Amino acid sequence: MSGLLLEVDRLTLGFRTERGLARILDGASLRIAPGEVMGLVGESGCGKTTLARAILGVLPAGGAQVDGGRISFRGRDLLREDPATLARDLRGRAITFIPQDPFSSFNPVFTIGEQLMDLMKWKSPRRQGEGRWPTLLQPYPRARRKADREAVLEMLAAVQLPNPAAILQKYPHEVSGGQRQRLMIAMALLPEPDLVIADEPTTALDVTIQAQILGVIRRLATERRVAVLLTTHDLGSAWEICDAVTVMYAGQDVESAPIDRFFAAPAHPYTTRLLESLPREGADVAGIPGEVPSPLAQPPGCRFYPRCDRATEACRATRPEETLLAEGHRLRCYHPRLPA
Ligand SMILES: Nc1ncnc2c1ncn2[C@@H]1O[C@H](COP(=O)(O)OP(=O)(O)OP(=O)(O)O)[C@@H](O)[C@H]1O
């Protein structure tokens, strides 16, 4: 056993489009240890959401094509096991999800309480083999319902929602955006998962609320020892809450490192350019010249080479293997920027 909770190993995946196969992930790798908060960082369109959806098993049916690689969660093969079994055992239970937009994730015509209790009916950690009823007819045993309601109230308090009992009576439009995202965090944690996937969870919120929501995710992940995969294009968010970061460029992982080392000793030319492009007092913002390659015509080798000032023929021809620079610091580059 590797001791990892999740291991994505060289996942290659594309979407069938009218103009051919768009190769969105090309040998993407990612590792998360139990209880670790991992940031998956990269520019818009680099494939973060696609990787998150592949882990959750919710890629568009018929449209996505997996051409190689492996996703292993607690030793189970998420790409090859029966999807119905995985949906029953893992999705929404051991692996849960916090979406970008908390509003569209609620049904506007049911109260928050009805929606939370519906979740608990199916995904409560107290639900165990309740007879042989067909799924839709399964009853919700009274004792479990009572215990689940207690758990819901306790969780709403844990995500710092005021007056949890009153919130359960409200409709989604009657609470603020920040409160809705706290509800989403509560819903993701109620099944007592091992891994929460948070896909840009603060994008839809205003800036003052963003830091609070990240703080809630970080605190609860630590208290409950839940691992989190946080996808973000914002390095500041990663710095706030992550233990480690994996950087993706155009569907390929390029570097991954513990958070302190990531900011102190970045080695991949793309990572260093990304960090240089952070706004700094008194300095011009340095963009990265060139464009991200189209997923319909990806260069072979390292996908960053057309924009890289260190690129050589080797980078164009073959993607570099992974090298270990230090404990937990992995890199794919022939010409890294190493400290002098
Ligand atoms: N169902 C689909 N069919 C075809 N192309 C798709 C599909 N879903 C996503 N894509 C394409 O895959 C690429 C990666 O998208 P993805 O949403 O994974 O990126 P991302 O890094 O999460 O971006 P963002 O930060 O903007 O959310 C994009 O070019 C997108 O247009």
Side-chain angles (χ1 to χ4, degrees):
M1 285 292 285
S2 62
L4 291 170
L5 177 68
L6 176 83
E7 182 169 23
V8 178
D9 183 30
R10 284 165 288 178
L11 182 62
T12 296
L13 181 162
F15 291 114
R16 294 181 203 99
T17 72
E18 284 171 4
R19 290 187 293 144
L21 186 74
R23 166 97 3 117
I24 304 302
L25 300 178
D26 193 5
S29 296
L30 173 77
R31 301 171 180 85
I32 304 183
E36 183 175 45
V37 178
M38 171 64 76
L40 181 59
V41 173
E43 286 168 273
S44 183
C46 74
K48 304 181 294 293
T49 300
T50 303
L51 180 51
R53 294 181 74 184
I55 297 165
L56 277 166
V58 293
L59 288 166
Q65 179 178 315
V66 176
D67 286 325
R70 200 169 53 88
I71 306 179
S72 166
F73 176 77
R74 289 194 319 210
R76 292 179 71 166
D77 186 334
L78 301 194
L79 291 179
R80 287 168 193 88
E81 261 196 59
D82 170 39
T85 310
L86 290 174
R88 189 194 62 214
D89 294 355
L90 299 184
R91 195 184 314 147
R93 291 187 155 201
I95 307 178
T96 62
F97 184 64
I98 303 173
Q100 287 187 10
D101 179 358
F103 193 59
S104 57
S105 305
F106 275 109
N107 189 325
V109 300
F110 294 106
T111 64
I112 288 164
E114 284 168 320
Q115 295 184 62
L116 285 172
M117 291 312 293
D118 194 46
L119 166 83
M120 294 307 273
K121 179 175 178 187
W122 304 109
K123 302 293 184 182
S124 162
R126 284 161 288 282
R127 179 170 184 244
Q128 265 139 21
E130 288 168 356
R132 298 198 162 272
W133 294 78
T135 307
L136 280 175
L137 298 179
Q138 276 183 19
Y140 194 167
R142 186 184 291 240
R144 177 160 77 81
R145 191 183 161 84
K146 192 161 174 288
D148 285 347
R149 193 181 143 84
E150 288 303 314
V152 166
L153 291 170
E154 185 265 325
M155 184 61 79
L156 297 197
V159 296
Q160 293 166 338
L161 280 164
N163 200 347
I167 292 232
L168 293 184
Q169 310 294 324
K170 295 189 181 198
Y171 287 88
H173 69 272
E174 294 179 307
V175 299
S176 70
Q179 289 182 333
R180 276 196 293 271
Q181 198 55 306
R182 286 172 196 267
L183 286 164
M184 281 291 144
I185 297 170
M187 288 172 90
L189 291 172
L190 276 164
E192 298 179 7
D194 296 317
L195 174 66
V196 175
I197 297 180
D199 188 14
E200 305 258 10
T202 58
T203 311
L205 304 172
D206 62 58
V207 182
T208 48
I209 308 294
Q210 289 183 355
Q212 294 172 15
I213 293 295
L214 290 176
V216 171
I217 294 175
R218 173 73 250 188
R219 178 173 56 77
L220 291 175
T222 307
E223 281 173 17
R224 289 162 199 249
R225 211 172 142 62
V226 181
V228 177
L229 175 63
L230 173 85
T231 74
T232 180
H233 55 261
D234 175 19
L235 287 167
S237 301
W239 170 251
E240 299 254 340
I241 73 163
C242 293
D243 299 313
V245 170
T246 297
V247 181
M248 281 230 302
Y249 180 77
Q252 297 181 331
D253 57 296
V254 297
E255 182 164 15
S256 107
I259 194 79
D260 290 344
R261 200 171 153 92
F262 176 78
F263 282 94
H268 197 284
Y270 176 61
T271 314
T272 53
R273 297 306 292 260
L274 209 57
L275 289 167
E276 281 161 17
S277 66
L278 284 174
R280 247 177 293 240
E281 212 178 320
D284 290 337
V285 176
I288 307 176
E291 282 173 17
V292 181
S294 155
L296 289 161
Q298 293 286 5
C302 172
R303 285 188 171 181
F304 188 57
Y305 90 78
R307 297 172 81 184
C308 182
D309 54 10
R310 303 185 147 223
T312 58
E313 196 47 44
C315 313
R316 182 200 299 266
T318 322
R319 186 181 181 207
E321 288 296 324
E322 201 174 69
T323 48
L324 194 62
L325 292 184
E327 168 110 41
H329 191 171
R330 295 185 167 81
L331 177 75
R332 285 180 184 274
C333 183
Y334 295 119
H335 312 293
R337 291 174 196 263
L338 300 174

